[in-house]
Amino acid sequence: MAFLLQQTVTVATDSIDTIANATAEPVVEMSFFDMALKGGWIMIPLVLMLVLACYIFFERLFVIHGASKEDSSFMNRIKDYIYDGKIESALNLCQATNTPSARMIEKGISRLGRPMNDVLVAIENVGNMEVAKLEKGLSLLSAIAGGAPMIGFLGTVLGMVEAFFNMANKGDNTVNLSDLSGGIYTAMVTTVAGLIVGILAYFAYNYLVSRVSAVMRRLESSSMEFMDLLNEPSVK
């Protein structure tokens, strides 16, 4: 009798599990692409800004990396040429070395014989131009860092307006969650997307600025070393 009762309970339990599994709703998963589509047209400028920010970052990173390379023996060779009076050889070396420091030193050498202040001003002008070249596009990257979250918040406002519009125009005065889901999706997705683009652009901008600052310090060091060279008694 006990065995029969146990078998009955087991069968009943299995039947309940089968019915529960059959009536359970399937799990719905959302991909990143599907979520992006929920953001509406606001996602288009955000995607374009993300692509532009990535392009600026990698393009500037490549340029700054090239500007950071410098031959450790460059200044020593310049000193030797100037000590030996081989000004033309020093100019040729600068022209053959494709770095901002070499272009600064080349301008300084071309001004030899003029007052020291004129030489220094010429070097500083070239240095400022080189830094401006390295900073090209960084202002746009900074604008993306600040503008992307604002566009995302604009999408949030538009999504909430849509949600409240649907709520206000519900004829039977009953509001279902499905009536508001479209506007809420837009509001949340655009906020997340705007913050992601803004944060990535912000860190990319600050990283590039730090790299440019390092190049600036190297340029200042090279210009000071060159001016000290010209002020040595053996060069006068």
Side-chain angles (χ1 to χ4, degrees):
M1 185 68 180
F3 176 77
L4 181 60
L5 180 61
Q6 183 179 0
Q7 291 295 323
T8 303
V9 172
T10 302
V11 171
T13 303
D14 293 340
S15 300
I16 293 174
D17 292 339
T18 303
I19 295 174
N21 292 332
T23 58
E25 295 183 359
V27 178
V28 179
E29 296 182 356
M30 179 182 292
S31 66
F32 181 81
F33 180 75
D34 293 334
M35 184 178 67
L37 291 179
K38 296 293 184 178
W41 65 269
I42 287 290
M43 296 297 295
I44 297 176
L46 290 176
V47 170
L48 293 177
M49 293 172 75
L50 177 61
V51 173
L52 181 59
C54 292
Y55 170 78
I56 294 175
F57 174 74
F58 289 107
E59 188 269 339
R60 285 294 92 190
L61 186 64
F62 177 77
V63 172
I64 296 172
H65 178 70
S68 301
K69 292 182 178 180
E70 187 155 344
D71 187 0
S72 58
S73 63
F74 174 76
M75 285 305 300
N76 292 329
R77 296 173 66 185
I78 291 294
K79 289 179 182 180
D80 293 338
Y81 285 139
I82 293 179
Y83 285 149
D84 297 337
K86 299 178 180 179
I87 305 302
E88 191 66 27
S89 298
L91 286 173
N92 292 334
L93 176 60
C94 292
Q95 293 171 359
T97 306
N98 186 24
T99 61
S101 298
R103 288 186 281 271
M104 286 175 51
I105 302 303
E106 179 185 0
K107 179 61 70 173
I109 294 175
S110 66
R111 293 294 190 270
L112 289 179
R114 298 187 181 184
M116 287 295 180
N117 187 57
D118 292 348
V119 177
L120 179 60
V121 170
I123 292 177
E124 289 178 346
N125 289 337
V126 174
N128 292 333
M129 292 176 59
E130 293 294 332
V131 171
K133 291 179 182 178
L134 296 178
E135 292 178 340
K136 181 181 178 181
L138 294 188
S139 58
L140 182 56
L141 189 59
S142 176
I144 293 175
M150 296 179 65
I151 294 178
F153 292 147
L154 173 62
T156 301
V157 174
L158 293 177
M160 297 309 297
V161 169
E162 179 185 349
F164 281 109
F165 177 81
N166 294 334
M167 184 186 302
N169 286 274
K170 191 66 175 177
D172 53 1
N173 294 326
T174 58
V175 179
N176 298 322
L177 185 60
S178 60
D179 299 326
L180 307 178
S181 60
I184 295 175
Y185 264 129
T186 301
M188 296 298 101
V189 170
T190 55
T191 301
V192 172
L195 289 175
I196 290 176
V197 175
I199 290 172
L200 292 177
Y202 175 78
F203 283 110
Y205 170 78
N206 282 279
Y207 176 74
L208 292 178
V209 167
S210 66
R211 293 292 301 271
V212 172
S213 298
V215 175
M216 289 176 60
R217 290 191 294 269
R218 181 170 296 180
L219 294 179
E220 292 174 356
S221 175
S222 298
S223 63
M224 292 175 60
E225 188 175 358
F226 180 73
M227 293 306 298
D228 290 340
L229 170 63
L230 297 184
N231 285 319
E232 293 180 2
S234 58
V235 180
K236 293 183 179 179

